[in-house]
Amino acid sequence: MRRSKLQRYSVLTAVLAGAGATALTGTTAVAGTSATIKLAAGDDTYVSTVRTGTVFGAEDKLVAGVIGKETKTSFLKFAVPAGTNVASARLTLTAQAKFAGQLSVRKVTSTAWTEGKLTGATAPTLGAVVGTATPSGTFSVDLGKSITGPGTYAFALTSASSAMRFNSAEAKTGAPVLEVTTEGDTSPPVPAAGKDCTTGDKLVPTCGVLWGAAAGGFTDAPRDQALKDWEKLSGRTSTIFHTYHKGDELFPTKAEIAMTADAANPRVLLTNWKIAYGSNWAKVARGEQDKRIDAFAARAKAYGKKFFLAINHEPENDVVARAGSGFEAKDFAAMYRHTIERLRAKGATNVINVMAYMGNEKWMAQSWWKDLYPGDDVVDWMGLDSYVSAEKGYYHYGKFNDLLDRAPTGGGLGFYEWATTKHAAKPLMVAEWGAYHRVGKTADKAPVYQSVLPELAKRPAIKAIVYFDTARDDEGDRDISINSTAPALAAFKKLAADPVFQVKLG
């Protein structure tokens, strides 16, 4: 903890417009029925063979074809949500004029690019042609053979004819749409009591929500004993045991191994690692901490069990937006990518990584905020560390929805909507959350705890929530404990007892 609209994916119809903005409506799915999901492009842009260093991602058009000696190619990226049973898929574009000639859609294997950085010099390799048509007001092509299930998909638009222009996601109307027809129920957000929910390959629950906690924060209490005491207080074993490490600290520790080997109380480890401690992000990305990464990879492999790893959680607070600082946002993304790729190369395949943001209005409004993301191919879960005040009139007063929906200062998508629009294929973990009041200014946290279940029912992307419990935060003036008042504790125990959190570790 540091200071500083998506609805059900059951039967779903989405209306999309402008810069990734989304308006969605939904109804309950019936097994065996079909439904429609209309998805906006998370990223779309074009590149030039002449202006090879120019970024065109902010423009309201996509261009494909030839202008004199210049050839332009457009790129689009879509995220099909987890749990989507794809029956068919169709891409539709709106032309800005009438054009002659054919437009081809080609598959692009790489999804690591973003519209804010892509240039002709960095454009990914183009794959096979998956569809062609002659635009006439609109361009529509069947992508059912290319899009077969959840995940992130990228495509390129090419033409040997004179340049054709289409509306991009930044246009006021007629943005690119990927229309997906689904079969049956998709990703039900809340299980019925007693339903058999378990975790899969990336520790994503088949149904329900993983329940977790970090207890004893900013105290000398051993984290394992603090969590056991907290579990007794709250009435439920924390399936996720959250801990923190930095630099060359040896982990998983004996205590962490013991806590996650307790057959009577099954738990999975979530640990945050500040890998660049004593160094900087750029140096890690250059390989100067590979010895540190390799030592951890060996320990992770020896540990054997799958566990969550958050690399330098809440990076926004550590950014130094100055060229050469080693702590620029792009340095974080490079560090994250280098670390995950090296861990995978060393065989530490039991590491499930979490990209944990602060989701604060101030940081989300910074020009560099988008540069933090290292790419869908090296991120397993999206994460959010966010808190609300139970003290009316105090900073970030609100309920559970308020910590999820904070939007950039000046306007833009709230965090939940951003994550589920731009990275819809990724499960979302609220990796730290809590309700606080100032020490000595006691306020009832019960309304916050009572607001959690209704929000989880509306937000199927959330697959885990992890409470951060402490009587005093890092500055000593905020109480985030669950038992600061009797009504708060009663409300929290009722929340903890809900069957939505009955998820078995697979």
Side-chain angles (χ1 to χ4, degrees):
M1 188 237 180
R2 287 187 291 186
R3 302 203 180 168
S4 299
K5 310 179 192 167
L6 196 61
Q7 299 194 31
R8 295 178 191 263
Y9 279 124
S10 303
V11 177
L12 191 63
T13 300
V15 181
L16 304 111
T22 332
L24 303 174
T25 60
T27 59
T28 303
V30 179
T33 63
S34 63
T36 299
I37 304 175
K38 292 184 178 180
L39 300 171
D43 289 276
D44 64 347
T45 185
Y46 67 92
V47 300
S48 165
T49 57
V50 175
R51 291 171 287 170
T52 56
T54 303
V55 174
F56 299 100
E59 295 196 11
D60 64 358
K61 64 180 180 290
L62 300 173
V63 189
V66 181
I67 304 176
K69 295 182 179 181
E70 183 179 25
T71 299
K72 296 182 179 180
T73 302
S74 287
F75 291 84
L76 303 98
K77 186 163 56 178
F78 297 92
V80 178
T84 304
N85 300 320
V86 176
S88 64
R90 177 168 291 276
L91 172 64
T92 300
L93 305 173
T94 301
Q96 294 188 348
K98 291 184 178 181
F99 302 107
Q102 282 197 325
L103 181 72
S104 296
V105 179
R106 303 176 69 123
K107 191 172 183 179
V108 176
T109 302
S110 173
T111 59
W113 57 272
T114 63
E115 65 179 31
K117 291 184 177 181
L118 192 67
T119 66
T122 62
T125 302
L126 305 186
V129 174
V130 294
T132 59
T134 300
S136 178
T138 60
F139 170 83
S140 183
V141 63
D142 182 3
L143 295 180
K145 292 183 179 180
S146 300
I147 296 174
T148 57
T152 302
Y153 297 87
F155 300 94
L157 307 177
T158 65
S159 179
S161 304
S162 296
M164 307 176 188
R165 295 176 178 81
F166 304 89
N167 288 352
S168 72
E170 282 70 28
K172 293 182 179 179
T173 60
V177 174
L178 179 67
E179 186 171 321
V180 177
T181 301
T182 69
E183 289 182 335
D185 198 5
T186 57
S187 191
V190 181
K195 192 168 183 178
D196 189 15
C197 302
T198 188
T199 55
D201 182 52
K202 295 292 185 181
L203 294 174
V204 180
T206 56
C207 56
V209 177
L210 290 169
W211 175 261
F218 309 112
T219 71
D220 294 329
R223 285 299 177 94
D224 55 340
Q225 188 57 53
L227 185 69
K228 290 178 181 178
D229 293 341
W230 189 86
E231 290 173 340
K232 291 178 181 178
L233 183 65
S234 63
R236 180 185 286 277
T237 296
S238 295
T239 307
I240 296 176
F241 172 35
H242 195 0
T243 63
Y244 301 79
H245 293 286
K246 60 188 178 184
D248 290 315
E249 291 180 4
L250 300 180
F251 68 95
T253 65
K254 289 182 179 180
E256 290 166 349
I257 293 170
M259 286 287 280
T260 54
D262 183 353
N265 299 285
R267 305 181 186 92
V268 63
L269 181 65
L270 162 62
T271 193
N272 291 357
W273 185 26
K274 291 212 167 185
I275 183 177
Y277 184 76
S279 178
N280 66 46
W281 296 338
K283 289 181 178 180
V284 175
R286 290 197 297 265
E288 295 182 28
Q289 291 294 341
D290 283 357
K291 182 178 179 181
R292 180 178 286 179
I293 296 171
D294 294 349
F296 168 67
R299 296 194 305 272
K301 286 177 64 177
Y303 175 59
K305 297 180 179 180
K306 292 178 182 178
F307 67 100
F308 294 111
L309 175 70
I311 298 174
N312 204 119
H313 67 298
E314 306 173 15
E316 302 101 307
N317 209 48
D318 296 329
V319 169
V320 179
R322 184 182 70 250
S325 69
F327 285 103
E328 293 179 81
K330 65 179 182 179
D331 296 328
F332 173 85
M335 173 194 70
Y336 196 110
R337 172 171 290 277
H338 177 78
T339 301
I340 295 304
E341 289 180 341
R342 192 164 184 90
L343 289 175
R344 290 173 177 173
K346 294 295 180 179
T349 55
N350 54 323
V351 173
I352 311 300
N353 68 82
V354 182
M355 174 67 195
Y357 289 92
M358 295 177 78
N360 183 281
E361 307 95 314
K362 172 184 175 181
W363 299 134
M364 292 176 72
Q366 301 303 310
S367 61
W368 47 255
W369 192 80
K370 62 183 181 299
D371 296 330
L372 289 167
Y373 194 68
D376 280 351
D377 58 325
V378 290
V379 172
D380 295 323
W381 284 63
M382 298 296 287
L384 173 66
D385 294 358
S386 191
Y387 298 77
V388 290
S389 169
E391 186 183 342
K392 191 171 184 179
Y394 191 55
Y395 181 66
H396 278 161
Y397 171 73
K399 295 183 180 179
F400 194 67
N401 61 296
D402 293 294
L403 66 85
L404 298 169
D405 292 333
R406 287 178 191 139
T409 300
L413 297 179
F415 186 89
Y416 182 88
E417 189 176 3
W418 170 81
T420 54
T421 298
K422 294 289 188 178
H423 308 286
K426 302 297 178 183
L428 177 62
M429 173 186 294
V430 186
E432 284 185 18
W433 75 280
Y436 60 82
H437 56 69
R438 285 175 290 179
V439 174
K441 302 282 187 178
T442 303
D444 186 17
K445 300 166 185 173
V448 178
Y449 303 147
Q450 290 163 352
S451 69
V452 174
L453 291 176
E455 290 303 321
L456 292 181
K458 293 187 293 185
R459 301 170 189 262
I462 299 177
K463 302 298 184 184
I465 62 173
V466 183
Y467 198 88
F468 186 92
D469 188 282
T470 183
R472 290 181 181 271
D473 70 355
D474 54 339
E475 296 187 15
D477 63 347
R478 294 184 186 178
D479 182 330
I480 319 173
S481 64
I482 62 174
N483 61 336
S484 57
T485 67
L489 180 59
F492 194 85
K493 291 177 73 172
K494 184 176 181 180
L495 169 63
D498 195 90
V500 73
F501 304 115
Q502 291 175 0
V503 180
K504 297 178 182 177
L505 293 174

